[in-house]
């Protein structure tokens, strides 16, 4: 069992649809980050959330950190083919020495 | 943003040989670097934490004699896969954390794809 459970693992949708990716844990995180990774490349940071209940927006992407800092969600509005990729959540536990624990990832495919 | 490079980007080697992968922070000093391994269509698994000037801390199940890590300077960490075997084939990614800045921000390298024949 992974410390951070991401769902769904795979998502295939049509351009223009909305989607939500979830990242859940029974542990409390001091911060949580969302990354997007293209094949053959390293992850690229999208956002960091640190405060329980925090909501951040990045154009069509909305990120939310749960009140208890145990879960997070990523919502994409009007998905575009350019959003296709692997989305990873990663959390830092308190006193973890800045070590990140990654979720299993959500592979998103947006079809034109 | 901060840039982390990795070299080589791809390497193919014969079974039994050793392969060295470099991770460099190009525009900042990194007191801590992390090495991850990623299998196809899977997430990143932390292998070890590398601190400049001290021994690396390995995650459970990672053989320290198999995966040698050297963090000799504030801008360079190396991962050497010794006596590589086909099961070591994977995508290896490093990340670096600046000595200053948000405590939990890591910058990732582009990865190195290792194929062991």
């Amino acid at each position: 069992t992974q410390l951070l459970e991401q769902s769904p693992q795979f998502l295939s949708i049509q351009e223009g649809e909305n989607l939500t990716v979830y990242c859940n844990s029974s542990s409390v995180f001091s911060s949580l980050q969302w990354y997007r990774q293209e094949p053959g490349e390293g992850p690229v940071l999208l956002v960091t959330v640190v405060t329980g209940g925090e909501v951040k927006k990045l154009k069509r992407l909305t990120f939310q950190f749960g009140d208890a800092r145990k879960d997070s969600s990523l919502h994409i509005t009007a998905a575009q083919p350019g959003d296709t990729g692997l989305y990873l959540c990663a959390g830092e536990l308190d006193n973890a020495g800045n070590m990140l624990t990654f979720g299993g990832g959500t592979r998103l495919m947006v079809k034109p | 943003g901060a840039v982390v490079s990795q070299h080589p980007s791809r390497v193919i080697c014969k079974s039994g040989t050793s392969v060295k992968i470099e991770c460099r922070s190009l525009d900042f000093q990194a007191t801590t670097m992390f090495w991850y391994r990623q299998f196809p269509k899977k997430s990143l698994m932390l292998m070890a934490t590398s601190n400049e000037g001290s021994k690396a801390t390995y995650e459970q199940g990672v053989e320290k004699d198999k995966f040698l890590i050297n963090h000799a300077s504030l801008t360079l960490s190396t991962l050497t896969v010794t006596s590589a075997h086909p099961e070591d084939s994977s995508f290896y990614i490093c990340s670096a954390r600046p000595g200053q800045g948000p405590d939990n921000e890591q910058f990732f390298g582009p990865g190195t794809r290792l194929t062991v024949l």
Side-chain angles (χ1 to χ4, degrees), chain A residues 31 33 35 37 40-43 48 86 88 92 98-100 102-104 107, chain B residues 34 36 38 41-44 46 59 91 93 97 103-106 108-110:
Chain A
S31 69
Q33 301 179 354
Y35 294 84
Q37 185 182 22
E41 298 180 9
T48 300
L86 178 66
L88 298 159
E92 181 186 342
N98 302 114
M99 187 180 74
L100 287 177
F102 278 83
R107 192 164 296 278
Chain B
F34 301 88
Y36 297 85
Q38 186 177 29
K41 299 185 179 180
K42 298 293 184 182
S43 187
L44 279 70
L46 180 66
E59 294 302 299
F91 193 52
I93 304 174
R97 186 178 70 85
D103 287 340
N104 58 350
E105 185 162 12
Q106 294 183 26
F108 285 82

Side-chain angles (χ1 to χ4, degrees), chain B residues 63-85:
Chain B
E63 299 176 56
K64 61 180 181 180
D65 295 329
K66 171 79 173 175
F67 300 98
L68 300 178
I69 292 173
N70 187 326
H71 194 155
S73 78
L74 287 172
T75 59
L76 173 65
S77 176
T78 60
L79 167 67
T80 301
V81 183
T82 61
S83 187
H85 290 284

Side-chain angles (χ1 to χ4, degrees), chain A residues 3-104:
Chain A
L3 189 60
L4 270 171
E5 295 286 342
Q6 239 182 285
S7 62
Q9 292 183 10
F10 182 78
L11 192 56
S12 179
I13 60 172
Q14 292 294 135
E15 181 177 3
E17 292 183 11
N18 301 332
L19 67 116
T20 302
V21 178
Y22 299 94
C23 186
N24 295 303
S25 177
S26 58
S27 300
V28 177
F29 292 93
S30 59
S31 69
L32 196 138
Q33 301 179 354
W34 284 92
Y35 294 84
R36 180 167 169 265
Q37 185 182 22
E38 302 265 12
E41 298 180 9
V44 175
L45 180 67
L46 297 174
V47 78
T48 300
V49 286
V50 297
T51 305
E54 183 176 4
V55 177
K56 283 191 174 180
K57 290 192 174 185
L58 185 66
K59 296 184 180 178
R60 292 176 294 100
L61 278 61
T62 302
F63 305 86
Q64 187 164 8
F65 201 14
D67 291 340
R69 291 186 289 126
K70 294 182 178 181
D71 53 83
S72 181
S73 64
L74 157 61
H75 183 78
I76 301 179
T77 304
Q80 299 176 1
D83 295 328
T84 294
L86 178 66
Y87 289 83
L88 298 159
C89 66
E92 181 186 342
L93 293 166
D94 289 337
N95 303 316
N98 302 114
M99 187 180 74
L100 287 177
T101 298
F102 278 83

Side-chain angles (χ1 to χ4, degrees), chain B:
Chain B
V3 178
V4 174
S5 70
Q6 277 183 244
H7 177 80
S9 57
R10 288 177 178 267
V11 57
I12 301 173
C13 69
K14 292 182 179 180
S15 185
T17 61
S18 294
V19 175
K20 180 184 285 188
I21 303 170
E22 292 185 349
C23 177
R24 292 181 186 274
S25 55
L26 299 185
D27 48 5
F28 65 96
Q29 293 185 328
T31 54
T32 306
M33 288 184 171
F34 301 88
W35 286 96
Y36 297 85
R37 184 173 182 177
Q38 186 177 29
F39 290 105
K41 299 185 179 180
K42 298 293 184 182
S43 187
L44 279 70
M45 296 292 292
L46 180 66
M47 297 175 66
T49 302
S50 170
N51 294 299
E52 187 267 337
S54 63
K55 290 184 178 180
T57 303
Y58 290 82
E59 294 302 299
Q60 192 172 14
V62 178
E63 299 176 56
K64 61 180 181 180
D65 295 329
K66 171 79 173 175
F67 300 98
L68 300 178
I69 292 173
N70 187 326
H71 194 155
S73 78
L74 287 172
T75 59
L76 173 65
S77 176
T78 60
L79 167 67
T80 301
V81 183
T82 61
S83 187
H85 290 284
E87 57 266 30
D88 298 324
S89 298
S90 190
F91 193 52
Y92 292 88
I93 304 174
C94 73
S95 70
R97 186 178 70 85
Q100 295 179 1
D103 287 340
N104 58 350
E105 185 162 12
Q106 294 183 26
F107 298 95
F108 285 82
T112 296
R113 183 161 303 284
L114 169 63
T115 303
V116 185
L117 303 176

